[in-house]
Every structure is written in C-alpha cells, then in structure tokens.
C-alpha cells in the first residue's frame, strides 16, 4: 500500500496503519522512499506506533512539515493492542529490539513531558530536511497542557 503513495506530496496516516508499519519495521520489511513534503500523523502515541512513526520520516527525504495530531480515542474498528502483543509473542519478536526502553511502558493517556521531548528528539534525528514540526498535544500529557 505504501508503494502506491510514493509520489504523494501530502500524506496522512492513522494509528492502525502506523501499527502495521511498526510491525513491518520489527519484521525487517523494506520501505519505499516517499516524495511526501507534508506528513500528518493522526494517532495515539504509544509503543505500538513509534517504530512506524520514525520510519516514515526516514524514508521521506523531501519532508518539510510533520504534524502530529494525537487522537483522543481510536477510530472505528481499531487493531486491539493485545492482538499485537499476541502476534509478537507468537513470532518471538520484542518491541524493545527497535527503540528506546524509555518508551517501554508508554500507553495512551500516560505520556510524560520527558517522553514527549525524547520522542520529538528521535523524530528530529531521523530527518534531514524537516523545517517544521507541529505537535498538537493539548490535554495529551498527563496533568498538563502543551
């Protein structure tokens, strides 16, 4: 599916697609280069999507703007995270293989400001042409507004 979006300049990805990309990342699946200049991610920030979130900017060498818009709740028919854990366990895979243990227990609604800063730092490390990040995290960080 991602190959069909290679020439798109504006791309929006949701939580379930990012979960699938994260699983593909853990499985070592190659990703196509994208020509996206503007990328919007509509997702909860959790360990289930971070590997996918990091891979997309890495494979978007022309990316200028990244918008992260955490969703308050998953959309209709979300992929249950417990099913992802079952899949990983049955294939001997582990989330800790691919990214910082600092995010190991990150769950929706339980994100600390330190984790948000580390997450944005990870995103910045994966891009070379990014000019603007818009992170809409209002009410997302436990007990704070950012």
């Amino acid at each position: 599916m991602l190959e069909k979006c290679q020439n798109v300049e504006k791309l929006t990805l949701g939580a379930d697609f990012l979960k699938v990309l994260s699983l593909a990342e853990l499985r070592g699946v190659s990703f196509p280069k994208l020509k996206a200049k503007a990328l919007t991610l509509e997702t909860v920030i959790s360990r289930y999507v971070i590997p996918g979130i990091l891979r997309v900017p890495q494979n978007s060498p022309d990316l200028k703007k990244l918008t992260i818009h955490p969703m308050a709740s998953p959309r209709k028919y979300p992929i249950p995270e417990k099913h992802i854990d079952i899949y990983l366990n049955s294939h001997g895979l582990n989330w800790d293989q691919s990214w910082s243990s600092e995010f190991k227990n990150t769950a929706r609604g339980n994100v600390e400001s330190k984790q948000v800063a580390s997450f944005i730092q990870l995103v910045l490390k994966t891009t070379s042409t990014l000019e603007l990040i818009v992170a809409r995290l209002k009410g997302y960080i436990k007990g704070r507004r950012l």
Side-chain angles (χ1 to χ4, degrees), residues 49-61:
V49 298
I50 290 177
I53 288 174
L54 295 177
R55 175 55 70 188
V56 175
Q58 284 176 342
N59 285 38
S60 303

Side-chain angles (χ1 to χ4, degrees), residues 12-23:
T12 299
L13 302 176
D16 285 343
F17 195 79
L18 291 167
K19 287 175 185 177
V20 171
L21 288 180
S22 295
L23 288 174

